[in-house]
């Protein structure tokens, strides 16, 4: 598609439930990123993929967070046993090259996750 | 720790005036910077970028200035329009891929 697409746009879950957030990057983009954005803050890095390889997951808050990109295109961010502190906007971004200093990342509109 | 930050959390500007949004960074090794605009309910939208071997870069109605001596970045918007109302973030590219964002400046355009 023309831009990064994320679904669902909004997700409400009860504490303890598992959730899965989907990202469709810009077609042909090698690199894919997940960020977490708390209310009133800038996005915080979670994880980075180059094609299907997850090269950096240092930003994932806990082992309840898991991301995958099995075919090097669509990515899913999964959160198990959700907690209230997981409530945030989850942003996906992609860029055209790997090893990619000096390449802008293009963002989707995010999934707003609310944990009750 | 090192971080990218903005000088002012809010900026109010008269329609038609020029806007200047400032950003200070502390990682002297950073070699690439990006300005993003984020409207309510939307993701960050790329505005303009600049590499560390440049001092100035111009786009359509926007100019980014980079002062490496004092580690300062600014975004100038010419003839500010109501559609420019948004939160503006500067971001620093670390480790060749990881973006580090400041907290953002909220720009409000007065009619």
């Amino acid at each position: 598609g023309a831009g990064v697409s994320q679904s669902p746009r909004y997700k409400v879950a009860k504490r303890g439930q598992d959730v899965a957030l989907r990202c469709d990057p810009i077609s042909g983009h090698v690199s894919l990123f997940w960020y977490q954005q708390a209310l009133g803050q800038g996005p915080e890095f979670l994880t980075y993929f180059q094609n299907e390889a997850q090269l950096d997951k240092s930003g994932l808050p806990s082992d309840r967070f898991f991301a995958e990109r099995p075919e090097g295109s669509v990515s899913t961010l999964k959160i198990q046993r959700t907690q209230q502190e997981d409530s945030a906007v989850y942003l996906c971004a992609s860029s055209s090259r790997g090893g990619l200093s000096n390449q802008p990342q293009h963002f989707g509109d995010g999934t707003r996750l609310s944990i009750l | 720790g090192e971080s990218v930050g903005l000088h002012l959390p809010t900026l109010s500007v008269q329609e038609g005036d020029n806007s200047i949004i400032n950003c200070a960074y502390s990682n002297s090794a950073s070699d690439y910077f990006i300005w993003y605009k984020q409207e309510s309910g939307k993701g960050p939208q790329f505005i303009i970028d600049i590499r560390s071997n440049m001092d100035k870069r111009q786009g359509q109605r926007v100019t980014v200035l980079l002062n490496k001596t004092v580690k300062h970045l600014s975004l100038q918007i010419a003839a500010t329009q109501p559609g420019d109302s948004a939160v503006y973030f500067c971001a620093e590219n670390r480790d060749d891929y990881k973006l580090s964002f400041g907290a953002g400046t909220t720009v409000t355009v007065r009619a």
Side-chain angles (χ1 to χ4, degrees):
Chain A
V4 177
S5 178
Q6 293 187 246
S7 61
R9 288 297 320 277
Y10 304 92
K11 177 69 178 177
V12 179
K14 293 182 179 179
R15 191 165 65 107
Q17 290 183 330
D18 299 347
V19 298
L21 313 179
R22 177 187 170 105
C23 172
D24 282 87
I26 293 172
S27 179
H29 275 196
V30 169
S31 297
L32 184 144
F33 309 82
W34 285 98
Y35 291 82
Q36 180 189 61
Q37 186 173 26
L39 189 64
Q41 302 295 318
E44 295 279 348
F45 171 84
L46 294 178
T47 188
Y48 160 53
F49 289 86
Q50 186 177 123
N51 295 307
E52 70 278 4
Q54 189 176 21
L55 299 186
D56 188 339
K57 54 182 181 179
S58 63
L60 296 177
S62 74
D63 58 8
R64 296 185 296 103
F65 286 70
F66 172 77
E68 61 182 3
R69 194 187 185 197
E71 297 180 357
S73 178
V74 171
S75 177
T76 303
L77 176 67
K78 298 178 180 178
I79 310 173
Q80 298 175 323
R81 305 180 304 281
T82 52
Q83 303 293 317
Q84 285 190 323
E85 62 263 28
D86 300 335
S87 295
V89 175
Y90 290 86
L91 295 164
C92 177
S94 69
S95 67
S96 58
R97 289 188 357 215
L100 45 85
S101 186
N102 305 336
Q103 288 293 315
Q105 296 178 22
H106 299 277
F107 285 81
D109 287 336
T111 294
R112 182 176 298 277
L113 177 64
S114 298
I115 304 301
L116 304 179
Chain B
E2 295 176 322
S3 64
V4 175
L6 289 162
H7 289 307
L8 294 174
T10 62
L11 176 67
S12 180
V13 60
Q14 186 70 37
E15 182 179 357
D17 288 352
N18 296 335
S19 303
I20 300 176
I21 306 167
N22 294 305
C23 177
Y25 67 95
S26 56
N27 186 351
S28 57
S30 295
D31 62 356
Y32 179 56
F33 304 88
I34 309 174
W35 280 100
Y36 285 95
K37 171 187 179 182
Q38 188 172 26
E39 297 174 281
S40 180
K42 298 280 187 74
Q45 176 188 356
F46 172 83
I47 301 174
I48 192 168
D49 58 2
I50 189 167
R51 294 166 176 70
S52 60
N53 61 352
M54 304 170 70
D55 297 321
K56 179 180 179 180
R57 190 163 189 225
Q58 289 185 294
Q60 186 177 12
R61 280 202 308 121
V62 295
T63 300
V64 55
L65 300 177
L66 176 62
N67 185 330
K68 295 181 287 295
T69 302
V70 295
K71 296 186 202 137
H72 183 267
L73 195 69
S74 68
L75 177 70
Q76 300 177 1
I77 305 173
T80 311
Q81 302 169 359
D84 295 328
S85 293
V87 180
Y88 289 80
F89 293 98
C90 65
E92 166 190 16
N93 197 337
R94 296 184 176 180
D95 303 324
D96 285 336
Y97 55 84
K98 189 182 302 184
L99 288 180
S100 178
F101 288 80
T105 292
T106 300
V107 173
T108 303
V109 181
R110 305 188 307 272

